[in-house]
């Protein structure tokens, strides 16, 4: 007995009309059922592939998160060591404190003028505000900031804040993709479960297998990852909206830019690169962080004299502290770059993954829309109830009425040049019927 049950509702009969006999309708229904069965099986396999891709990405995500945490910890330790050493060095500089302070008073006006001049030429507006902010910053600072390059600690701290914002977006995007794929998979398997009576047990066993766990991962157990998930404003804890729009939202989050301004090596080098995007970042950074102006110290003679001072008094302890301080800054800088590289790896991996998922969803995601439309207990997978075509000198369109699962009757026309004697006629009917059934399911979802 054929495994596909059919209920033949009726057959249109009319004068001058060509209509197949019931046994032909039955054969067309069988052929069409085979086609739809194959399409559903392909969709189930495609959705499983999407889930498997996301699972592999989950493993890589866990590894990246661990590396990010370790790198962040190493950077924070290096910065703390630099800060502690900076304080010890400041206490040791009293040997030339008077000379340094005198030079500092002559250095400050030049620094301010140089910074404001650069800002006025590079940036569109706000030079007055930047000048006032920097003057206030200088009055609260000491020449020691220039002597030991202490402003670099401030820059590294600021850059860490930018990296944290980038990670927020990447984690939010990852969470959105992960949850969307999980829910798409659940809905697809639910729909397939309602079709189960019409599929062989061997396909069901091959698909699921006894060892496969479709949800192998718990949420990554890092507090910062969970807190970012909770804070993300675009994060949907439940499946809402279509899968395509959720992927698009995730991609926009992950592509969001939180650039740190290019390092200010000197006024001439900045103006020489001609990069408008870099200039905008520099302007933004100078408005936000006045310490950036200290990097223009080489434009001022009195500031350079501070750099040339030897306040160690040939004290080996100070020399050792200075060495520890510089080594700590170099380490913090290195870990900052490593963290940037990890973030970029994370971004590239997720954007590549979402691109693949987007393509697979276009092919197979339709199955998830069938949850409430595939009870399949009454009419079987596919049945042709009527086919009607007028006879004449030239072939007319063939009108077909079918049912897909428990759908209401679907009526459409096939071009007259497609003969009912064509071996592929049943498949063509089923293909058009499934296309219309998909559209109805998407509209109802």
């Amino acid at each position: 007995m054929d495994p596909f049950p059919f209920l033949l509702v009726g057959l249109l009969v009319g004068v001058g009309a060509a209509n197949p006999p019931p046994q032909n309708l039955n054969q067309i229904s069988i052929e069409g059922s085979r086609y739809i069965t194959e399409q559903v099986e392909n969709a189930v396999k495609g959705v499983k592939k999407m889930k498997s891709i996301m699972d592999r990405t989950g493993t890589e995500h866990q590894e990246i998160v661990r590396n990010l945490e370790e790198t962040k910890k190493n950077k924070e330790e290096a910065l703390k060591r630099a800060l502690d050493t900076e304080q010890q060095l400041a206490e040791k500089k009293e040997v030339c404190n008077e000379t340094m302070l005198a030079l500092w008073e002559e250095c400050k006006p030049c620094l301010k003028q140089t910074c404001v001049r650069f800002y006025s030429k590079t940036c569109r507006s706000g030079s007055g505000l930047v000048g006032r902010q920097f003057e206030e910053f200088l009055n609260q600072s000491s020449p020691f900031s220039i002597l030991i390059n202490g402003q670099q600690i401030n820059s590294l701290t600021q850059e860490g804040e930018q990296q944290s914002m980038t990670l927020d977006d990447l984690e939010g995007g990852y969470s959105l993709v992960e949850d969307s794929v999980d829910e798409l998979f659940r809905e697809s398997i639910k729909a397939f479960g309602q079709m189960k009576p019409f599929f062989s047990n061997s396909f069901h066993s091959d698909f699921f297998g006894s060892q496969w766990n479709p949800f192998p991962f718990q949420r990554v157990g890092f507090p910062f990852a969970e807190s970012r998930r909770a804070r993300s404003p675009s994060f949907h804890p439940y499946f809402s909206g279509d899968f395509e729009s959720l992927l698009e939202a995730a991609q926009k989050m992950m592509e969001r830019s939180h650039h740190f301004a290019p390092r200010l090596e000197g006024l001439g080098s900045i103006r020489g690169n001609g990069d408008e995007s870099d200039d905008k970042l520099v302007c933004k950074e100078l408005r936000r962080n006045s310490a950036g102006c200290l990097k223009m110290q080489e434009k001022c003679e009195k500031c350079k004299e501070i750099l040339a001072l030897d306040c160690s008094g040939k004290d080996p302890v100070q020399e050792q502290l200075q060495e520890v301080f510089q080594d700590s800054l170099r380490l913090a800088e290195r870990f900052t770059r490593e963290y940037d590289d990890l973030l970029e790896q994370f971004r590239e991996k997720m954007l590549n993954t979402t691109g693949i998922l987007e393509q697979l969803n276009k092919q197979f995601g339709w199955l998830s829309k069938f949850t409430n439309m595939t009870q399949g207990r009454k009419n079987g997978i596919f049945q042709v109830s009527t086919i009607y075509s007028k006879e004449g000198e030239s072939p007319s369109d063939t009108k077909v009425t079918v049912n897909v699962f428990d759908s209401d009757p679907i009526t459409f026309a096939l071009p007259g040049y497609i003969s009912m004697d064509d071996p592929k006629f049943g498949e063509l009917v089923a293909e058009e019927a499934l296309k219309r059934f998909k559209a109805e399911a998407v509209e109802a979802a």
Side-chain angles (χ1 to χ4, degrees), residues 42-270:
N42 287 340
V44 171
K45 293 174 183 176
V47 170
K48 180 182 177 182
K49 183 176 181 179
M50 293 174 69
K51 185 69 175 68
S52 298
I53 288 172
M54 200 63 217
D55 289 345
R56 289 197 298 272
T57 302
T59 302
E60 295 171 4
H61 170 249
Q62 289 181 336
E63 182 64 24
I64 289 174
V65 167
R66 290 190 186 95
N67 290 337
L68 283 168
E69 270 291 88
E70 182 179 354
T71 304
K72 180 183 177 183
K73 180 182 177 182
N74 290 337
K75 176 184 174 179
E76 289 175 346
E77 289 176 352
L79 281 177
K80 183 179 183 303
R81 187 163 55 249
L83 284 168
D84 292 343
T85 309
E86 180 185 32
Q87 181 60 36
Q88 294 177 57
L89 280 170
E91 295 171 356
K92 294 281 187 179
K93 296 301 180 182
E94 296 179 358
V95 65
C96 59
N97 193 46
E98 186 175 337
T99 303
M100 187 186 298
L101 288 175
L103 290 171
W104 178 238
E105 290 304 314
E106 296 182 71
C107 166
K108 286 192 294 184
C110 178
L111 265 182
K112 177 186 174 183
Q113 184 181 20
T114 303
C115 185
V116 171
R117 185 187 301 118
F118 164 77
Y119 188 91
S120 299
K121 291 181 179 179
T122 308
C123 312
R124 292 185 177 181
S125 61
S127 59
L129 174 62
V130 169
R132 290 191 297 273
Q133 289 177 339
F134 187 48
E135 184 175 7
E136 182 179 351
F137 170 80
L138 289 174
N139 290 335
Q140 295 173 353
S141 303
S142 74
F144 189 68
S145 299
I146 286 183
L147 189 63
I148 66 167
N149 199 24
Q151 77 278 4
Q152 191 173 353
I153 296 178
N154 185 284
S155 296
L156 289 170
T157 302
Q158 296 285 346
E159 193 163 2
E161 294 173 3
Q162 303 288 342
Q163 290 174 329
S164 180
M165 293 168 65
T166 298
L167 183 57
D168 279 347
D169 285 339
L170 291 175
E171 278 294 311
Y174 171 83
S175 300
L176 188 54
V177 174
E178 181 184 44
D179 289 347
S180 299
V181 171
D182 283 353
E183 190 62 23
L184 178 76
F185 181 82
R186 288 189 180 94
E187 291 297 300
S188 299
I189 297 310
K190 182 179 178 181
F192 175 67
Q194 294 169 350
M195 307 176 194
K196 185 178 176 181
F198 308 107
F199 292 84
S200 66
N201 290 332
S202 61
F203 173 76
H204 190 270
S205 299
D206 291 343
F207 172 72
F208 288 103
S210 59
Q211 302 298 321
W212 186 56
N213 175 14
F215 300 101
F217 295 108
Q218 298 296 322
R219 294 297 186 199
V220 176
F222 296 104
F224 82 94
E226 292 301 319
S227 65
R228 282 176 170 80
R229 181 188 300 272
R231 294 199 306 271
S232 175
S234 301
F235 172 61
H236 298 255
Y238 303 103
F239 194 65
S240 59
D242 61 275
F243 188 79
E244 293 87 347
S245 64
L246 292 174
L247 279 189
E248 183 180 355
Q251 287 173 330
K252 287 181 178 178
M253 290 177 69
M254 291 184 288
E255 289 173 342
R256 195 176 298 161
S257 175
H258 295 290
H259 292 300
F260 186 78
R263 299 193 178 281
L264 307 179
E265 300 299 340
L267 186 58
S269 62
I270 298 172

Side-chain angles (χ1 to χ4, degrees), residues 269-287:
S269 62
I270 298 172
R271 292 306 299 163
N273 60 27
D275 191 321
E276 184 178 350
S277 61
D278 277 0
D279 284 350
K280 289 181 179 179
L281 290 172
V282 170
C283 294
K284 180 180 178 180
E285 180 61 18
L286 288 178
R287 287 193 298 270

